[in-house]
Amino acid sequence: MFINHDDMRSLELMEELMRRGYYVSDRLKDMKYADVIYLGARGMDRKNRLILEHETIVVDDEIIKHLKENCLVFTLIHNEYLIELSKEYHFQYIALLDQENFVEKNSILTAEGLMSYLISHRRMPLYDSQVIVLGYGHCAKPIIDDLIGLKANVKVAVRKRKYQKEIEKKNAQYIAIDQVDLSQCDILINTIPHVVIEKEQLDHIKKNLMIVDIASYPYGIDHHYALSKGINCQILPAIPCKYAYGYAGKMIADEIERKLENA
């Protein structure tokens, strides 16, 4: 197996696979001999650039051409370029965050890590705090559950009214995303990867509002504008590779073994 350990999670993956008896290498020259290849969070871009732990390298075309036929190539995030290469060079490509079971477990780790961050970075408890969560996808649902469990007052802002009953069953309050009012909000959590909070809305907030964005670019708010207003806003990507990375590495190892058994 070739493992690119580009973060703490993938370093744990290497150690977990070795504990399970697999031969594991992180040397690029060993990639062409591997039956399983983990290319890290994103894998290569279209210029064959690959992010390693301490540097970015360019993977030679000859290495890709000589990969074992039907070897399993993994990344976390969906990579369209690797799909194209898999068709040309006959390897099997799997993006772990395209797998429903993996996404659910990853979302639970994300939620728990976020709770840890909020608790350790605020002067006030989550108990009785006014929290607005933007979005109601895989990541948002366990976040809402954890906040409700900690007795926060949670509003969930979504575009689709069809989620209202489900949200209210969780003892959260449904609001339309175009009706978000931040004037009484203590914590704003964004899970939507496009801007949904306008600059004007950031002009009418409590002075101690905390904004945490776990979405990908371009995020849910204009963070440059928020910072210029002195708002406490943080972008927290890839929480599982910083929090509970040991378990995150085990999750990837479990998924690799499942795919090997079914190959």
Side-chain angles (χ1 to χ4, degrees):
M1 295 188 181
F2 171 84
I3 305 296
N4 169 27
H5 52 89
D6 58 341
D7 57 33
M8 289 297 293
R9 169 175 46 195
S10 47
L11 186 59
E12 290 286 336
L13 169 62
M14 282 190 72
E15 295 179 357
E16 179 66 24
L17 289 170
M18 286 189 285
R19 282 194 290 270
R20 298 184 188 191
Y22 294 100
Y23 175 79
V24 182
S25 173
D26 61 355
R27 295 179 299 180
L28 196 64
K29 66 179 183 178
D30 290 334
M31 190 188 293
K32 63 183 179 181
Y33 304 115
D35 297 300
V36 173
I37 296 169
Y38 176 73
L39 289 176
R42 297 181 180 274
M44 302 180 301
D45 65 15
R46 289 186 176 273
K47 294 183 179 179
N48 284 7
R49 292 176 298 195
L50 181 66
I51 298 174
L52 304 180
E53 186 180 13
H54 299 299
E55 61 180 334
T56 298
I57 63 166
V58 176
V59 179
D60 193 284
D61 284 333
E62 289 301 309
I63 293 177
I64 301 169
K65 289 177 184 177
H66 289 93
L67 293 180
K68 282 188 174 182
E69 188 170 334
N70 294 321
C71 75
L72 302 178
V73 177
F74 293 84
T75 61
L76 278 174
I77 298 167
H78 186 88
N79 185 319
E80 196 64 33
Y81 179 51
L82 285 172
I83 289 179
E84 295 169 15
L85 289 177
S86 71
K87 294 175 182 176
E88 184 174 356
Y89 297 113
H90 307 291
F91 59 80
Q92 297 183 52
Y93 169 61
I94 299 108
L96 292 168
L97 288 175
D98 287 344
Q99 314 293 311
E100 188 74 19
N101 181 60
F102 187 89
V103 170
E104 288 182 7
K105 289 182 179 179
N106 195 69
S107 297
I108 291 169
L109 289 190
T110 298
E112 192 171 322
L114 177 59
M115 295 307 110
S116 174
Y117 180 87
L118 293 175
I119 289 167
S120 61
H121 286 78
R122 295 183 72 240
R123 292 172 55 249
M124 306 300 287
L126 288 173
Y127 171 78
D128 208 32
S129 292
Q130 303 298 321
V131 185
I132 295 176
V133 178
L134 304 176
Y136 193 62
H138 282 105
C139 283
K141 291 177 182 179
I143 289 170
I144 295 163
D145 290 340
D146 287 354
L147 288 167
I148 293 295
L150 291 166
K151 307 297 185 183
N153 300 304
V154 183
K155 296 179 180 178
V156 183
V158 294
R159 294 191 187 281
K160 298 180 180 178
R161 197 176 186 90
K162 69 179 184 180
Y163 296 122
Q164 181 173 356
K165 287 185 178 179
E166 187 177 341
I167 288 168
E168 290 174 349
K169 280 184 180 179
K170 291 178 178 287
N171 294 319
Q173 180 182 342
Y174 160 88
I175 52 175
I177 207 156
D178 57 357
Q179 295 178 354
V180 172
D181 178 4
L182 299 178
S183 62
Q184 299 303 313
C185 181
D186 297 310
I187 304 169
L188 176 66
I189 299 170
N190 178 60
T191 69
I192 302 172
H194 55 84
V195 175
V196 292
I197 298 296
E198 302 299 332
K199 293 178 181 179
E200 295 77 16
Q201 291 169 276
L202 296 175
D203 294 332
H204 305 284
I205 62 168
K206 296 172 73 171
K207 65 178 182 179
N208 62 344
L209 171 67
M210 171 185 274
I211 298 175
V212 181
D213 205 322
I214 67 167
S216 54
Y217 182 85
Y219 315 115
I221 69 163
D222 184 331
H223 284 272
H224 291 294
Y225 183 76
L227 288 169
S228 74
K229 300 285 291 183
I231 299 170
N232 177 9
C233 60
Q234 301 293 328
I235 299 171
L236 299 180
I239 291 175
C241 76
K242 305 176 184 70
Y243 174 86
Y245 47 81
Y247 187 79
K250 180 181 178 298
M251 279 171 48
I252 299 173
D254 289 344
E255 195 64 29
I256 286 174
E257 283 200 324
R258 272 195 291 272
K259 295 299 181 183
L260 278 174
E261 289 170 2
N262 296 323

